[in-house]
Structure formats: structure tokens, C-alpha cells
Amino acid sequence: MSSWSISITDSFLNSSLTLPNKIRDKLPDVIEKLKNNPKPTNGHSVKIKGIDLWRIYVTHRYRLFYKYDNQWVKLLKIVERDKDTYKSENLMSIAEEESLCVIKIDEDESLPTQSSFLTSEQLEHWEIPKEYHERLLSIDQEDDLLELPIEPKWIEIIIDCLPSREKSIEEELDLIDKKAEYVLEESDDIRKYLQGEIKNFYLKLSEEQEKILNQKNDYPLLIKGGPGTGKSILAYYQTKKLLKDGYKKILFTTINPSLIEYYIKPLKALIGDDLQAKGVTLKTVDELASEIYRRSYGERYKLATEEICLFCLKSVIHEITIIPSIKNQIINLGLNYLLDEILIVIESRGIESCDEYLQISRFGLGYKPEKQIMEQIWEIYVQWKKILRKSGYITTEHIRQKALEIINKKNTSVFNAIVIDEAQDLSPVAIEILMKLAISKNKFYLTADTEQSLKKLPFAWDFLQDENEYKGEIRTLNRSFRNTEQIGKAYPSIISSVETASFSNLRGEKPKIILTDDLLNQAKLIKVFFKQSSKKFKLPIYTGVILSPERQYGEFLARQLSFYGLASEYQDKLNHNSSNSCIRVLSLESVKGLEFPFVVVVGLTEGLLPNYINNSHRDEQKELLKQQRQLFYIACSRAMRSLLVFGSKNQPSSFLEPLRENDYWQIEVL
């Protein structure tokens, strides 16, 4: 049995496509040699002088570059040897060695020569969809390729299949080495992949993640960690481990349908295509609660929008009889505060009486009204709920409450284990529903980062344990893999309370803040930013996104960029099934749990971000500012390779002030 495990990169998989078919068939044997022994003593490998890099013959013409450490061999890329392959200083010794050998070209290795940038034969051999051929054949340089409005994965395949024209192979491999790793379980799996029998490979865990996964967990477990530390990846692996341990009914859940959709691909790569047949249910808590509620109450009520909730609340305040001085104080709190008080304090915790409301802990919340005010808020809540119900409306939290009542009454525990990602944005009632659906609380796993909570929900491990009378354990992930070192150092400074994680070893530019009030120039600068980032990291330009605090601003910017020749589209939420052939402009709230190579954050203008709500109480205003600062933090932490922030020159956001005081950001005033 071999003692080495194999990990692979996207570049290795893509470069495998360049091989003639008969050479592809030789790859499993080459990989098997490395599994048995990746060191030079195997008689096939050569170390690159001065750096931790190795290469092994595939054939006379092709070389496989790799690294090895801690019983893992990482396959980076297959390179066709030509006069430029060993042009860097560290590779000269190999060049001298191989110059003594005649490169024998087998008939199996021959591919058509080309005079143009791309040929039809290449595109067919690399299995690029025919619908893109005409556009691809019309370009004559790599920069044009990166900007083509076609699905990015095909561009990335072509980039990896083409010989590097601007970087040495050493520089290119250094970039590849910092990309994600996937696990190749069997040597023959590469043949199956190239023949279409395997669609995806699953991500390799870090040592830190492996340690947490392999610990014995006979208790509820919370995985904490900042952005990019791999909490979701660990949740995927935890699901696989539960299946391996014999658990037949597992729920994998998170905060919204968009993230559920995002999780399907990695879970299928790890577990198999038919998740349901394997015993894994992938649903949000609200999908589950709605199913339970509808079975008992039917479709009689419609879900109330925020606008409907505010309209009814305003009507109740005007109609209800309250002492004038108290009524004025309530009006001064503002409708948005009152609605938050109802939905987040009362309904999200399942509070059933005024006495309970007066005594409830306000963990994670700001301003607490005086007793008289709270008593009147409760009366307003009772009337507000009555009007909604008699008008055919119901809130999300009320559906959750009713579902919880049904579960408690019928003792409906259906899952052997439950895995929750992004738990910090679930209400106490939602968490309790999930706990009650679990047959055993000992198989209850959560991932969370309270600094990424967009709501004033009382998520804290101690709070949850006290409320639900059980004890669990906490494990923390400390290393971030998402961002460049420069971005990883910069975005935590947005929130002073954030502990700095250890960073990836990928280097890039410091993120930049540009202060300008010229909207036309801003659009031009955004276009330049995406072009430069795309070229620097050799990634398709349309993998970038723009994040806006306001829909109107986002739609305006998307139109501007499209007019300037950079196809852009505003989306209320990320469409994972779209062709991704344009720059997506998204709301700040819609990108929780996601990541993008290039990110532009706009709207850092006082009054826009932060957006002050008129007439709200001073203490509540502080809480609102804290939430919006977290929103800015989350937006910036989505950036993997390049980050650009735009603020106003004349009315810059107060969120930018502390960023001027450190050396992690570039500041430019136009």
C-alpha cells in the first residue's frame, strides 16, 4: 500500500487536457510512481535547484511539476517542453541536463502546429463548447481571452492549456501552488475525469481542519472562525464523516436558498451526485418550517413583506389609545426600530407574554426602552399581529413559532444529525426548531462568526446552551485561505474587535480606497481595475463583482459600465446558474458566505454607508452603525485577489476614518 496521498490543482486538471489521448492514458502510471515515492530516489524525478519544486517525465516531450511534504504530493501542472520551459535561473541546470538528450517525439505525442493564437483543433481537443469557438478563434492575444464574455471556467481551461508567454514557468507554478488543492483518491481517477466519468474532485483539508474533523465528537460542536478560514468546507467534511459513521438521515442547512444552491456542487463532489439517496437533506430552516406549517394550516396566509409589516405598524400606532407623552416617545423611536423590536426581540425568541418581554435578556442588542414604553410596544405588537392575521398575512418568525409548536406537540424528530452553516444569522426559534428535529443533540454541528452577523440576533454559544439546557464544545479555525496577505491584513482593521487570523502566502497589492465624487470617472476606474486584476492573476475579468449599498446606485453603475464596454448586470441575489459572462453588481447583504477574485465596494459616503435612520434613539443609532460597519467588513472580506473601495471626497464615510490611520490601505484622493 502506498504511503503518499495525492492532491491536485485546477491547473493540473486543465493542462491534462492538452495531452494527446494516448499520452493521457499514461498519467495514472506516472501518478502511481509518485504515490509510491516522490523523491529523486525513484529514478524518475529531478529537484529544481534552489526551490522546493520537482519534475517527473510523463514522456519525452511532457513534464509534470509537483511538490511534496507531510505525506502529500501536490501535482501542479503538466508542461510541454520547448525552448522557453527552463528559461529561469533556477531551471538552467535541468536545461543543461536535457540539452544533452535528443527529444524523441512519439507519434502519440504529436499535435497539429499552429500559426494563430487558438485553433479549432485545440478547442475541440480541450472540449470547449462549440458555441464559443467563433469568438475564441477571433482573438489573437491572452488579454482578449480574459475579457471574452463567456463562462469563466472555459477561459481558465484555455489559459492553463496555453504555454505561458509573459511569466516563466517558475513564476507560473508559484501562482498555481497558492491555489486550492483537491484530493485525488485513486491514480486512475485522472483517466476517469478526462473521460467524463468523474465531474468534480473535493477540496483538501488543512492540518488545522483535519485535526478538528478527526476529534471524537460525542457532543454538540461549534466551529468558529473568521472569513475564509474554511468553516463551510469543514461542514461538508463533517457531513461525509457522519455518513461514513452510519448516520442515515442528515440535514445540512444554512440561512438562505442562495447559499443552499452554492453548497450543492462541493457536497456532490465529496459525497456523490444523488445527495437525497445518500441520506442528506439540503434545505433552509424556513423551508422546513414552512413545510411543517403548511401541512397543518394549509396555504391560507401569505408571507408579509417588510413594506406590509411597516404599513400595518404605522396604522396601529395611529389608531391605538396611548398616553400622548408615551405615544410621542414611541413615534420618536421610529418604525424601523419598532419593527426590529417586534421581529428580532419578540418573535425571533418566541416571547409569549408582556412579563416575559420585560424580563428578557437583550444580549447582542442596543437600546432598551423604559418599562412603560416596552409595555406599550407589547400592546402595539398584539394589535399589529392581529391586523396581519386578519388580513391574510403572516411573518417568517411566526411561521417558525407555529412550526415549533407542532414539533413539540408531535415530537417530530426526524434527523440523526444536523449540520448548520452560518448559524450566527439564525434566530433562537430557528435554532430550537433544528434542535428539536435532531434525534440526538450530540450530533448537532454549527459553524459561525459573530462578526459576520447582519442581524441583531442573540447568537452566542453560552446563550444557546443556557436557553436549551445542554452543553457543547467550541473549536476555532485561525488560518484564512481566501485572501492575499495584503487583503487579509487590511479588512480586519474595519472592525477593531476582530482578531487577526494567520494569512495565506499569496501576495498581491494593498487594497485601495479612492475618494471621488465624479461618477463618470469612477466607472472608468472600475473598468481599469478589473482589466489590471484580470491580467495580473490570469483570471477571467467577469469573475469580478461590484458591491453596492443601494439598489438604485447599483443599477446605475451596471448601466454605466455596460455603456463603457464592460458588460455588467445588477442582480438582487447572485444567480449561481447564470453563464457569468458579465460583471455582477450585487447588494452588500447578498454575498454572505461567498467569495470572488476581484471585488469593488462602492458607496462609502456619509448618509449612504452608513445610512442614518431619522428619529432613531441615540443608543439604537450606535447599534445600527455597528451593523452597517459589519456589512462593510463582510463585503471587503469577500475579495480573494484584489480589492478596491470607493468613497466620497467631500462627504467620506466615517467608516473610512480609522483606515487612514494604518498602513494596510492605499488612499487616493481625486
Side-chain angles (χ1 to χ4, degrees):
M1 184 176 179
S2 62
S3 58
W4 292 83
S5 299
I6 301 292
S7 71
I8 55 178
T9 64
D10 283 324
S11 293
F12 167 75
L13 292 174
N14 294 340
S15 62
S16 299
L17 295 170
T18 66
L19 301 175
N21 291 330
K22 290 186 178 180
I23 304 303
R24 292 180 182 184
D25 293 339
K26 297 181 180 181
L27 282 180
D29 291 336
V30 175
I31 294 171
E32 196 63 30
K33 290 175 184 176
L34 294 176
K35 288 182 74 172
N36 291 327
N37 181 12
K39 301 177 182 180
T41 53
N42 64 18
H44 305 281
S45 299
V46 174
K47 186 180 189 302
I48 309 305
K49 181 181 178 182
I51 55 175
D52 182 25
L53 183 66
W54 309 77
R55 72 102 175 94
I56 188 171
Y57 274 55
V58 178
T59 66
H60 289 288
R61 171 170 280 189
Y62 295 97
R63 308 289 183 266
L64 168 56
F65 286 88
Y66 68 93
K67 290 189 170 187
Y68 67 86
D69 188 32
N70 293 328
Q71 296 305 119
W72 279 91
V73 182
K74 182 178 182 179
L75 310 185
L76 299 174
K77 186 175 182 179
I78 297 171
V79 177
E80 182 180 4
R81 185 196 163 191
D82 60 22
K83 62 183 178 63
D84 293 324
T85 303
Y86 303 120
K87 62 185 177 183
S88 75
E89 182 179 345
N90 285 323
L91 301 177
M92 288 304 296
S93 60
I94 294 182
E96 292 169 4
E97 168 204 329
E98 294 199 352
S99 67
L100 302 176
C101 306
V102 177
I103 300 180
K104 177 185 175 185
I105 307 300
D106 296 334
E107 183 180 347
D108 295 342
E109 297 182 88
S110 60
L111 282 173
T113 57
Q114 66 183 78
S115 56
S116 57
F117 181 67
L118 291 169
T119 67
S120 297
E121 290 82 0
Q122 283 178 317
L123 298 180
E124 289 177 8
H125 187 68
W126 301 337
E127 300 174 5
I128 307 299
K130 287 189 178 294
E131 63 191 275
Y132 300 134
H133 285 203
E134 184 177 351
R135 276 177 283 180
L136 288 165
L137 293 172
S138 69
I139 62 174
D140 56 12
Q141 59 179 341
E142 188 176 279
D143 288 357
D144 295 334
L145 172 63
L146 292 170
E147 295 177 20
L148 274 183
I150 67 175
E151 198 169 347
K153 74 173 184 178
W154 302 116
I155 295 177
E156 291 175 22
I157 286 173
I158 295 170
I159 290 292
D160 280 325
C161 289
L162 288 170
S164 178
R165 287 169 164 77
E166 296 185 4
K167 298 181 184 294
S168 70
I169 186 63
E170 185 181 347
E171 293 172 316
E172 185 181 359
L173 292 172
D174 186 56
L175 271 178
I176 293 170
D177 184 35
K178 295 175 174 65
K179 293 182 178 180
E181 294 179 64
Y182 303 88
V183 176
L184 188 76
E185 290 190 328
E186 302 293 338
S187 300
D188 195 49
D189 284 349
I190 184 61
R191 179 191 59 79
K192 293 178 181 178
Y193 171 80
L194 292 170
Q195 292 181 356
E197 297 174 35
I198 293 178
K199 300 294 184 184
N200 299 295
F201 295 94
Y202 55 87
L203 284 163
K204 176 180 176 289
L205 292 179
S206 68
E207 289 183 29
E208 183 181 47
Q209 293 166 329
E210 284 273 10
K211 183 178 179 181
I212 292 174
L213 181 69
N214 292 330
Q215 288 175 340
K216 188 177 180 181
N217 293 328
D218 289 329
Y219 39 73
L221 183 65
L222 169 66
I223 306 298
K224 293 175 61 179
T229 51
K231 299 183 296 296
S232 297
I233 294 171
L234 199 51
Y236 306 150
Y237 269 86
Q238 186 63 64
T239 306
K240 181 183 180 182
K241 182 183 177 184
L242 287 164
L243 287 172
K244 185 178 179 181
D245 290 344
Y247 293 90
K248 301 299 183 184
K249 293 183 178 180
I250 301 168
L251 172 66
F252 192 105
T253 187
T254 189
I255 54 177
N256 59 51
S258 181
L259 276 181
I260 288 287
E261 193 176 327
Y262 182 74
Y263 294 155
I264 290 174
K265 182 178 177 180
L267 279 169
K268 283 185 175 181
L270 197 60
I271 295 168
D273 284 340
D274 196 339
L275 296 175
Q276 196 69 43
K278 296 279 187 178
V280 178
T281 297
L282 204 59
K283 289 183 178 179
T284 66
V285 65
D286 288 322
E287 287 177 304
L288 293 166
S290 293
E291 289 172 5
I292 294 168
Y293 174 83
R294 304 293 177 198
R295 282 198 294 267
S296 294
Y297 296 99
E299 302 286 342
R300 185 178 178 187
Y301 294 99
K302 183 177 180 180
L303 194 63
T305 63
E306 182 179 359
E307 290 76 16
I308 290 293
C309 289
L310 288 169
F311 173 77
C312 290
L313 190 56
K314 185 177 180 180
S315 299
V316 170
I317 292 171
H318 284 308
E319 292 177 9
I320 198 168
T321 302
I322 307 176
I323 299 171
S325 60
I326 300 294
K327 189 169 187 175
N328 287 335
Q329 290 183 61
I330 288 175
I331 291 172
N332 287 337
L333 288 174
L335 287 176
N336 287 287
Y337 170 83
L338 290 171
L339 186 59
D340 277 352
E341 188 75 1
I342 287 171
L343 297 179
I344 296 174
V345 179
I346 297 174
E347 291 208 332
S348 77
R349 304 184 190 204
I351 295 174
E352 297 179 347
S353 70
C354 184
D355 287 341
E356 187 181 357
Y357 172 47
L358 293 173
Q359 296 171 18
I360 193 73
S361 163
R362 297 182 68 84
F363 181 90
L365 298 166
Y367 169 66
K368 179 178 181 178
E370 296 176 359
K371 180 181 177 182
Q372 279 185 305
I373 302 294
M374 291 182 71
E375 288 172 340
Q376 290 302 319
I377 289 175
W378 181 262
E379 290 302 317
I380 289 170
Y381 165 62
V382 171
Q383 292 301 316
W384 172 82
K385 188 165 74 168
K386 181 179 179 181
I387 287 178
L388 279 178
R389 187 176 66 253
K390 291 195 171 184
S391 301
Y393 287 103
I394 192 169
T395 65
T396 295
E397 285 297 345
H398 196 201
I399 289 176
R400 291 175 177 178
Q401 288 177 32
K402 289 295 184 183
L404 184 58
E405 289 176 11
I406 295 167
I407 293 169
N408 286 331
K409 185 177 180 180
K410 297 184 178 180
N411 193 24
T412 315
S413 299
V414 293
F415 296 106
N416 299 119
I418 294 182
V419 180
I420 309 171
D421 197 29
E422 302 285 353
Q424 73 276 354
D425 281 324
L426 289 177
S427 70
V429 169
I431 295 286
E432 190 173 354
I433 286 173
L434 295 172
M435 288 178 173
K436 293 295 174 64
L437 289 175
I439 294 171
S440 170
K441 290 180 182 178
N442 289 339
K443 297 302 174 184
F444 197 76
Y445 303 89
L446 307 92
T447 75
D449 177 7
T450 54
E451 296 296 346
Q452 294 190 65
S453 176
L454 296 182
K455 302 176 183 178
K456 297 173 289 185
L457 294 171
F459 181 86
W461 195 232
D462 290 342
F463 177 88
L464 287 174
Q465 293 183 107
D466 291 343
E467 289 291 302
N468 294 282
E469 298 180 348
Y470 74 92
K471 296 298 178 183
E473 296 287 337
I474 298 176
R475 298 289 182 268
T476 302
L477 293 169
N478 294 302
R479 186 182 177 191
S480 175
F481 298 91
R482 174 180 295 157
N483 325 98
T484 62
E485 179 182 342
Q486 288 70 26
I487 294 173
K489 287 180 177 178
Y491 73 77
S493 62
I494 295 171
I495 300 179
S496 58
S497 63
V498 173
E499 295 182 10
T500 303
S502 59
F503 312 108
S504 73
N505 56 0
L506 181 64
R507 297 190 60 80
E509 300 292 331
K510 287 183 183 179
K512 179 182 282 190
I513 298 169
I514 296 179
L515 301 178
T516 180
D517 293 303
D518 185 340
L519 289 178
L520 296 178
N521 192 38
Q522 175 181 267
K524 293 174 182 176
L525 291 171
I526 289 173
K527 182 178 179 180
V528 170
F529 166 79
F530 282 131
K531 280 177 169 285
Q532 290 177 343
S533 298
S534 173
K535 184 175 181 179
K536 176 179 176 63
F537 291 101
K538 296 182 71 172
L539 291 170
I541 195 169
Y542 293 115
T543 55
V545 298
I546 300 170
L547 306 180
S548 171
E550 184 180 74
R551 181 190 181 99
Q552 187 176 4
Y553 194 158
E555 290 178 339
F556 177 80
L557 194 51
R559 176 58 189 156
Q560 270 189 313
L561 288 170
S562 296
F563 186 74
Y564 289 151
L566 187 62
S568 304
E569 178 183 79
Y570 182 85
Q571 297 179 0
D572 288 315
K573 61 179 181 179
L574 185 65
N575 183 356
H576 298 287
N577 294 321
S578 67
S579 63
N580 197 18
S581 57
C582 65
I583 296 292
R584 276 81 54 83
V585 186
L586 303 164
S587 69
L588 298 179
E589 295 91 344
S590 68
V591 293
K592 284 291 300 294
L594 305 176
E595 59 187 20
F596 309 93
F598 322 127
V599 172
V600 176
V601 183
V602 299
L604 270 294
T605 302
E606 202 71 359
L608 182 57
L609 188 65
N611 176 24
Y612 297 97
I613 297 176
N614 294 332
N615 299 323
S616 60
H617 190 277
R618 182 178 64 255
D619 290 339
E620 185 62 19
Q621 193 72 260
K622 290 180 182 178
E623 189 63 32
L624 292 170
L625 287 176
K626 179 182 176 182
Q627 288 180 59
Q628 292 182 67
R629 189 184 295 275
Q630 286 177 313
L631 199 58
F632 177 39
Y633 163 83
I634 291 168
C636 290
S637 69
R638 303 304 97 189
M640 301 167 68
R641 301 293 178 261
S642 300
L643 171 62
L644 177 61
V645 175
F646 279 95
S648 169
K649 176 181 178 180
N650 295 320
Q651 292 182 298
S653 168
S654 56
F655 294 165
L656 298 177
E657 192 59 37
L659 308 187
R660 295 169 178 259
E661 300 171 3
N662 62 55
D663 193 40
Y664 299 137
W665 299 80
Q666 303 177 66
I667 311 288
E668 186 175 346
V669 182
L670 300 179

